[in-house]
Amino acid sequence: MTRKARTPTQDAPARRSTPPSAVSGPAPGPAGPGIARLEVRNLATIAQLSLDLGGGFCAFTGETGAGKSIIVDALGLLLGSRASSDLIRSGEDDLLVTGFWEGEQSASRRLSAQGRGNARLDGEVVSLRELQEWSQGRLTIHWQHSAVSLLSAANQRGLLDRRLDTRPYAAAYGRWRAASARLDELRASMRERARQIDLLTFQVQEIREVAPQSGEEEPLATDLARLANLDTVAQSAAAGLELLSDGEMNGLGMIAEALRALNAGAKYDPLTAQLQDELRAAQEGIRAVVGELRERAENSAPDPEELARVETRLAALGKLRAKYGPTLEDVVAFGDTAAAELETLEQDERDAGTLEDEVGTLLAEVRREGAHLDDARRKAAGPLAEELLAVIRELGMPHARMAFTLSPLEQPAAHGLSDVILLFGANPGEALGPLSDVASGGELSRVMLAISTVLGADTPSVVFDEVDAGIGGSAALAVAAQLARLARSRQVLVVTHLAQIAARADHHYKVEKSVEGGRTVSRVRLLTEDERLEEIARMLGGHTSEAALRHARELRGTASAG
């Protein structure tokens, strides 16, 4: 049954497209609807959770061990991340996570203690892959370990290509690969194709030489029977002539006698006269038959050549039926099919002769488009590196340096003629090196944050799980400002331990853990303004003294002014 997102309560955070915490400077364009509500049942220490989520910048805080990252785990399940039955709350049979998006769209994931599970979109059961494809267009999660995705050459190249049109190269490469694959196929099948051409040529020629016609066998068989028995035909005709006209006693003579005998009676009896007329008509009919019989008797001598011709034709047709039949219609159909196959194979032969030149021409086109793409990447590399560095230096790495370099490939690849390598250096005096070799986990997280704010996240909702690890002071304020900037056009959910970031959020949620009935339970609730001040004070110094509260108010005031 499809579940609908409930109307937010009075305590639910208001949603707005441009929160007041936005900082100056350009921000990515609108991305689409964010998550309106998250419902969780039996996930780790969460027994039951119904959480309305606000737009803009949402911060999740709580004491160490309270289970802040469970929210991220729940959203990860909706993204199709690998699930283990260990996530199910102890003693329960299954867990269920459901997300409701603005526009009453929903996604859910259920997992049983036996390891089985299912996924749903708008209440309809779908495959896990379908859930992934749907959710990945709406939600991005940056876990503490997910910044390592920056280490792949494909993702580093993708940073540049976001601002470029790579379609001309992709189209040229696709044409070249298709032609190359076709040429490889033709070359690989050359021997088999030659064998097939020889066989089909023989078969087509054999059938064409006979040129069979559907339905011709029956008349030929009749002719053969007649030609083989012409002696019998002549003899039977002669015997008939003997009885009708040629013998001493014959039919025509007897009819003539009968006509004469009827003359006397016909003078006086009309009926006899009528019968005499009918007998004369019969006489004429017999004379006509006699003429036909005489022609048959005199001209039915056997014709060996005609007999041989018919026998040869029938034998040829029978041979074709035996090989390509069983019927003559089957033979004709086989001949048509074989001729078509032969034409295709002969065309392949002709193609193989010209395709080599075409592949060479297409490869030259790939190299031209690849050179244009490399030039475009080089032109985009410097400005993008500077934009990223401007943010990275604010995030606690004032001496950071960055550059994109192109490494030529031996052969064209689907992405171009070169690999893109992101070089990085965090400390002065150090040579730039590949990001994968020189950046720490914390540095990777800040580079990822810079990328998200400069290039924009690809989805309407973006989640950061403790992206602030290992930073503080002015760098923490800078991270908060960058997250607020991103939240101008995206729903940004941040699990954080830094008061500076929590103070900048539009909506502040607290994750709390308690023991109820001898069992640990985690709850999440939206804080009021006074509760926010107390939580920020706790995050600043571990207590809520007047000095800590005053500091918290200062942070909130600065955040609102920002």
Side-chain angles (χ1 to χ4, degrees), residues 205-213 216 313 316-317 320 328:
Q205 183 176 352
E206 184 178 35
I207 294 173
R208 283 178 177 173
E209 285 178 351
V210 176
Q213 302 295 318
E216 70 169 306
R313 180 66 179 173
L317 295 176
L320 291 181
L328 208 56

Side-chain angles (χ1 to χ4, degrees), residues 288-321:
V289 170
V290 166
E292 293 289 336
L293 288 176
R294 195 173 302 283
E295 193 276 332
R296 275 278 186 267
E298 293 175 356
N299 298 309
S300 293
D303 184 349
E305 291 184 0
E306 178 66 10
L307 179 61
R309 183 191 69 78
V310 174
E311 287 178 337
T312 300
R313 180 66 179 173
L314 283 171
L317 295 176
K319 181 179 179 182
L320 291 181
R321 281 193 297 100

